Amino acid sequence: MQENKEQPSGPGPSERLAEYIDLWWRFLASVKLSVVLLLCLAALSIIGTVVPQNLAGQEYARIYGPFWATLVLVLDLDGMYQSWWFRALLLLLVINIVICSVDRLQSTWKTIFVRHPKFDLNGFRNRRQRHEMDLKVGPAALQAPFERAVGKSFRYRKVVPTENGYAITAEKGRWTRLGVYAVHLSVVVMLLGGLIGSRFGFEGFVAVPEGESADTIQLHGSGQRMRLPFTIRCDAFTVEFYEGTRRPKVYRSRLTIIEGGQEVVQREIEVNQPLYHQRIGIFQSSYGRADGRAPAAAAPREAPDEVTVTLRSAASGMVYTRTVAMGQAIEIPENLGWLVLERFEADADFQGMDLGPAFIGTLTTAEGTSRTVTLPLDYPRFDAMRRGDVVIGVVDGAAGDAAPAERYYTGLQITYDPGVPVVYTGFTLMIIGCWVAFFMSHQRLVVEVTARGDGSRVMVAGTANKNKTGMQVVVERMTEKLTALAEDRQGRS
Amino acid sequence: MAYNSLILSITTFIYGLAGVLYIFAWIFEKPTAGRLATRVTVLAVVANTFGILLRWYESHQLHTGYGYAPLSNLYESLVFFGWTIGVIYLWVEYRYRNKTIGAFAVPLAFLTMAYASLSPDKSIQPLIPALQSNWLIAHVITCFLGYAAFAVAFAVSVMYLIKAGDEKRAAANGGLRMPSALVLDDITHKLVMFGFLFLTVGIITGAVWAKQAWTRYWSWDPKETWSLITWFIYAALLHFRLMRGWRGKRIAVLSIIGFAAVLFTYFGVNFLLSGLHSYA
């Protein structure tokens, strides 16, 4: 009634502000927001896996036509994971995580950081899943062995006197309530590490011919050149193949790092075994012939007489293998048309991309439309990009001659990412946090012993904040253990 | 055909037989068939284990430098996926003393192995340089433990949606009636937690490995992105429980959607999208 009287004047501006802030706080702390954000991120992330990323503007016009290409560029779909709106969503998620955690920690904090936690004895006495038994030994004789038994599996314990006896209160894993906050914090830490990397790190490429040195790399993205604080010399590059196959076994560069005219490091690097110098990583990434031609593996350089072709039907997922001679038409099963291999190129080029040795063929559908397909030997899945009804791969040309001994260059990726230690800290925190949050719980146990005639009545009950069935088992085991202890004592007296 | 693929083909049929027995035991409530089904599943898992170990051994016999843990292409990963589904299912059956889940979960192991059997090329191919890393083993094992837990969670969620319709039926007996909707919900939750932990570790080991082999821990490659999409979906599922009245049906539906994302991450990305992660 009184509230009604006050209403005409309305809440003051400061109250209204407080109300406003409270409303926002509750919105930003809500689990509903987390769920909506997670599902939005899941759904929107799909776009970048379907729309090719980081192509030149005119490429999108070629793929999607002018209208859709404009839309792609306006909405930043060509680099959507770096776009302002995707980052805004991530920022909102971070705000949500932080505020939600702060909001909940306020109450959790009081539970976790207390010297003597409170046990609501009546609550335990009234639990449905409690165990009770009558023992023939008096409460006093049971106290020491019971305390020891409880202490073996519960770190904290305290004996509380009751009207007609005492209660052993015990608990463990109070700190495990922090697990979920560790997970939430880890997400923030990882994103922070990513941010540090993108702000202060760099990534680039340099090709160093055997016997030569380089100290300038070309940065990804901007294409600018950047000088390194040291010089890299490539002493040798080798590529090895598995016995009797064209399958590469190892790409290896022997490198020397030179600083101020001094050779400071000499080491071999391979794929998966980079070299770090001054926290700058040097990675084996590609290789090629130093005379400027395409990468030369032991690929056939002349058109082979026969080729093995795999045909995978997109509809059924079946893979058909056919051996075909150049110029001969083969029918593709499932009525998917015809394929003719027209020619072989030692150095195929696809829209400016260097593909190495490839077959060029014509695919004619059952309806009679034809198109050219490029089938590079080094990229057997290349044709999948066409998204046709059939994916064509060239398994193996006729065995080619091994590459003649020629001078190679080694292609090196050079990266510096100061955010990595931060990100890895986030990784560790997330794994430990998930483990604690999912599989560990805060368990509390009460063993109450009450005098009853010459003997005593014992009640065992427990609670846990997670995995309640697991706690039931703990209570049952404890009951069995205590009963055995009491019987043991009884037998001795 | 090498001995390992022969044994793995036989394993497929054993899983199939186990699945049929589970379905039979559930529909006709025959405890004998149920007990037999469990034994046959154990046999299938043993055969599956043996097939994987034999393939490992045979890879070392071919040529020097060929040997590797058989986890490196679609065929080998499917075989391992079948194994993880079998093991996780047996654990669930042991833990919850209920055999009806087998009628839904074991057929998934059978389908996985059957699909593996259709692979055109089962020959042992030595590892290309990018795959020569101990991270391969950690990455594949953790990812597939995660996937398999999600697969069994999917089976349990389907059961939940069936069960939620006729909750009025009699209570469980002899482990041959479906568990109550409440228990099914609990099993789904436990499996999703287990799967989520392993998917997380799988993504993280993949990232650490990518840093070593591809220079960056994250490149928004389609495979990476889809694994993250899957992670987002299950993360949302784990938060559903915290909202009032969002247990049960919505969780079951999201668990089914999550498993669809797992399947797309595993197969769809390879068949429909192009990227760095072209092995499996």
Side-chain angles (χ1 to χ4, degrees):
Chain A
M1 285 295 126
Q2 266 183 341
E3 278 173 2
N4 271 349
K5 271 183 205 162
E6 274 171 15
Q7 239 176 18
S9 62
S14 64
E15 280 170 56
R16 203 177 295 171
L17 185 71
E19 217 171 85
Y20 227 72
I21 291 174
D22 185 55
L23 206 69
W24 271 98
W25 181 271
R26 265 184 294 152
F27 168 70
L28 290 172
S30 68
V31 184
K32 207 171 213 166
L33 179 66
S34 322
V35 167
V36 169
L37 281 174
L38 286 168
L39 292 178
C40 276
L41 282 167
L44 290 167
S45 295
I46 298 174
I47 299 171
T49 67
V50 179
V51 176
Q53 298 287 291
N54 301 316
L55 297 183
Q58 62 268 27
E59 284 296 307
Y60 292 101
R62 203 185 52 74
I63 301 170
Y64 299 110
F67 174 75
W68 292 108
T70 312
L71 202 67
V72 163
L73 295 176
V74 166
L75 296 177
D76 287 336
L77 297 183
D78 56 328
M80 69 153 275
Y81 304 109
Q82 291 81 36
S83 70
W84 66 269
W85 56 267
F86 193 76
R87 288 190 169 178
L89 268 180
L90 287 177
L91 181 68
L92 198 54
L93 185 71
V94 166
I95 293 171
N96 177 224
I97 285 172
V98 171
I99 292 191
C100 180
S101 300
V102 168
D103 198 54
R104 275 151 198 264
L105 251 178
Q106 288 172 345
S107 56
T108 315
W109 202 264
K110 287 182 201 136
T111 318
I112 298 174
F113 298 100
V114 284
R115 199 161 253 282
H116 294 294
K118 276 192 188 131
F119 282 81
D120 168 25
L121 286 183
N122 277 329
F124 283 89
R125 283 177 191 139
N126 294 331
R127 285 194 71 76
R128 217 183 299 160
Q129 264 123 4
R130 65 180 187 270
H131 289 257
E132 284 172 335
M133 65 250 184
D134 288 310
L135 299 172
K136 291 196 174 108
V137 189
L142 290 175
Q143 187 171 347
F146 274 18
E147 258 195 82
R148 232 178 294 129
V150 170
K152 259 182 199 159
S153 31
F154 288 84
R155 215 162 133 209
Y156 171 87
R157 66 175 198 282
K158 191 172 179 235
V159 181
V160 187
T162 56
E163 274 174 45
N164 228 337
Y166 56 87
I168 304 171
T169 59
E171 67 160 23
K172 68 171 169 191
R174 211 188 305 156
W175 64 275
T176 61
R177 288 180 184 266
L178 287 172
V180 65
Y181 302 103
V183 177
H184 287 167
L185 180 65
S186 76
V187 174
V188 180
V189 171
M190 282 188 280
L191 288 172
L192 184 71
L195 198 65
I196 293 173
S198 66
R199 268 293 133 82
F200 304 107
F202 61 77
E203 288 180 336
F205 177 83
V206 64
V208 191
E210 284 179 296
E212 291 179 29
S213 306
D215 65 352
T216 309
I217 61 170
Q218 186 169 22
L219 295 179
H220 291 319
S222 68
Q224 283 173 333
R225 298 177 69 75
M226 196 191 85
R227 173 159 286 186
L228 294 174
F230 51 80
T231 303
I232 305 166
R233 190 177 72 212
C234 173
D235 298 321
F237 175 82
T238 43
V239 51
E240 287 171 25
F241 295 87
Y242 285 101
E243 212 179 307
T245 67
R246 290 189 56 247
R247 214 174 158 83
K249 185 178 183 178
V250 62
Y251 304 119
R252 184 186 295 129
S253 300
R254 199 165 73 233
L255 303 180
T256 303
I257 306 290
I258 301 163
E259 266 178 6
Q262 296 276 319
E263 294 184 2
V264 285
V265 179
Q266 190 160 49
R267 239 197 70 187
E268 281 183 342
I269 65 162
E270 290 175 16
V271 178
N272 266 312
Q273 285 168 25
L275 161 65
Y276 282 92
H277 187 68
Q278 292 186 17
R279 294 175 65 202
I280 297 171
I282 304 168
F283 296 79
Q284 180 70 58
S285 86
S286 61
Y287 72 102
R289 294 226 307 270
D291 56 13
R293 287 176 58 193
R301 210 130 311 127
E302 282 160 27
D305 298 333
E306 280 196 331
V307 186
T308 308
V309 176
T310 58
L311 306 157
R312 192 178 63 221
S313 157
S316 68
M318 289 293 289
V319 178
Y320 307 93
T321 310
R322 297 282 182 275
T323 304
V324 58
M326 199 70 82
Q328 169 204 348
I330 49 165
E331 189 181 358
I332 303 168
E334 301 183 20
N335 198 24
L336 291 171
W338 295 80
L339 173 73
V340 184
L341 292 189
E342 312 278 23
R343 62 181 194 278
F344 174 77
E345 285 183 12
D347 235 334
D349 173 274
F350 184 80
Q351 292 165 10
M353 206 183 345
D354 200 356
L355 292 178
F359 290 90
I360 314 295
T362 304
L363 175 67
T364 310
T365 62
E367 291 81 43
T369 50
S370 294
R371 62 166 298 163
T372 303
V373 287
T374 307
L375 312 168
L377 280 170
D378 294 341
Y379 308 96
R381 289 178 173 279
F382 183 79
D383 193 48
M385 283 206 298
R386 190 170 48 80
R387 311 262 166 84
D389 296 331
V390 59
V391 178
I392 307 163
V394 184
V395 172
D396 202 356
D401 304 317
E406 274 171 294
R407 204 158 70 102
Y408 287 113
Y409 69 78
T410 181
L412 303 173
Q413 293 278 355
I414 314 288
T415 67
Y416 170 66
D417 187 345
V420 167
V422 180
V423 173
Y424 284 18
T425 307
F427 285 172
T428 316
L429 199 59
M430 167 153 288
I431 294 173
I432 296 172
C434 275
W435 181 273
V436 172
F438 293 158
F439 302 117
M440 295 179 82
S441 58
H442 179 194
Q443 302 183 338
R444 299 153 69 107
L445 184 86
V446 167
V447 179
E448 188 177 16
V449 185
T450 318
R452 174 167 285 201
D454 286 344
S456 45
R457 157 149 268 213
V458 178
M459 189 273 304
V460 186
T463 59
N465 66 330
K466 276 169 288 186
N467 193 12
K468 316 232 184 242
T469 37
M471 189 60 205
Q472 273 176 45
V473 177
V474 170
V475 171
E476 270 163 38
R477 295 237 169 97
M478 184 56 77
T479 309
E480 283 165 23
K481 201 169 155 189
L482 297 182
T483 313
L485 267 175
E487 276 163 7
D488 184 44
R489 185 119 318 211
Q490 193 189 341
R492 258 192 273 167
S493 59
Chain B
M1 184 159 51
Y3 289 118
N4 72 73
S5 10
L6 180 67
I7 285 174
L8 291 168
S9 299
I10 295 169
T11 307
T12 311
F13 289 102
I14 308 179
Y15 275 123
L17 177 65
V20 169
L21 283 169
Y22 274 119
I23 293 169
F24 181 83
W26 166 54
I27 291 178
F28 299 101
E29 295 189 18
K30 299 275 188 226
T32 327
R35 277 195 296 276
L36 190 62
T38 305
R39 282 179 200 162
V40 173
T41 310
V42 171
L43 178 69
V45 171
V46 169
N48 201 340
T49 314
F50 184 64
I52 293 172
L53 292 177
L54 189 65
R55 189 175 174 90
W56 196 336
Y57 173 78
E58 282 176 3
S59 74
H60 279 274
Q61 300 306 303
L62 280 175
H63 291 282
T64 44
Y66 262 56
Y68 65 96
L71 302 166
S72 79
N73 56 35
L74 186 62
Y75 173 70
E76 289 168 354
S77 65
L78 280 166
V79 165
F80 184 68
F81 191 25
W83 184 84
T84 49
I85 293 175
V87 169
I88 288 180
Y89 166 68
L90 282 176
W91 179 78
V92 171
E93 186 190 310
Y94 171 76
R95 181 79 203 278
Y96 291 89
R97 309 263 167 220
N98 191 291
K99 292 176 192 293
T100 52
I101 301 166
F104 294 83
V106 173
L108 294 177
F110 165 70
L111 287 175
T112 307
M113 294 294 288
Y115 185 55
S117 305
L118 290 176
S119 294
D121 185 11
K122 295 176 196 151
S123 65
I124 292 171
Q125 293 286 339
L127 298 179
I128 57 167
L131 292 177
Q132 294 165 11
S133 170
N134 285 333
W135 289 107
L136 170 74
I137 298 175
H139 175 60
V140 174
I141 287 179
T142 48
C143 282
F144 281 95
L145 279 173
Y147 287 3
F150 292 143
V152 180
F154 160 78
V156 176
S157 299
V158 170
M159 290 171 72
Y160 180 92
L161 292 182
I162 297 171
K163 183 75 185 178
D166 59 10
E167 191 62 298
K168 282 168 200 149
R169 282 224 189 141
N173 87 27
L176 288 170
R177 297 261 178 86
M178 276 198 205
S180 71
L182 210 67
V183 173
L184 289 172
D185 186 47
D186 181 54
I187 300 175
T188 304
H189 182 63
K190 289 240 164 65
L191 284 168
V192 167
M193 286 197 297
F194 181 88
F196 190 79
L197 175 71
F198 278 96
L199 177 67
T200 305
V201 179
I203 293 174
I204 288 175
T205 49
V208 174
W209 183 16
K211 173 73 197 158
Q212 194 184 69
W214 298 335
T215 77
R216 318 165 79 168
Y217 55 81
W218 195 262
S219 346
W220 295 104
D221 176 78
K223 194 76 154 187
E224 289 174 346
T225 309
W226 270 96
S227 70
L228 187 66
I229 290 167
T230 309
W231 192 88
F232 281 143
I233 293 174
Y234 283 106
L237 189 157
L238 290 172
H239 287 87
F240 266 31
R241 293 198 136 225
L242 302 176
M243 298 207 285
R244 215 164 286 144
W246 277 52
R247 292 191 176 210
K249 201 167 170 186
R250 292 183 205 216
I251 286 184
V253 169
L254 200 61
S255 155
I256 290 168
I257 294 173
F259 187 59
V262 167
L263 290 182
F264 194 83
T265 308
Y266 187 13
F267 304 112
V269 170
N270 289 48
F271 297 157
L272 302 173
L273 310 170
S274 58
L276 291 165
H277 202 289
S278 55
Y279 336 104

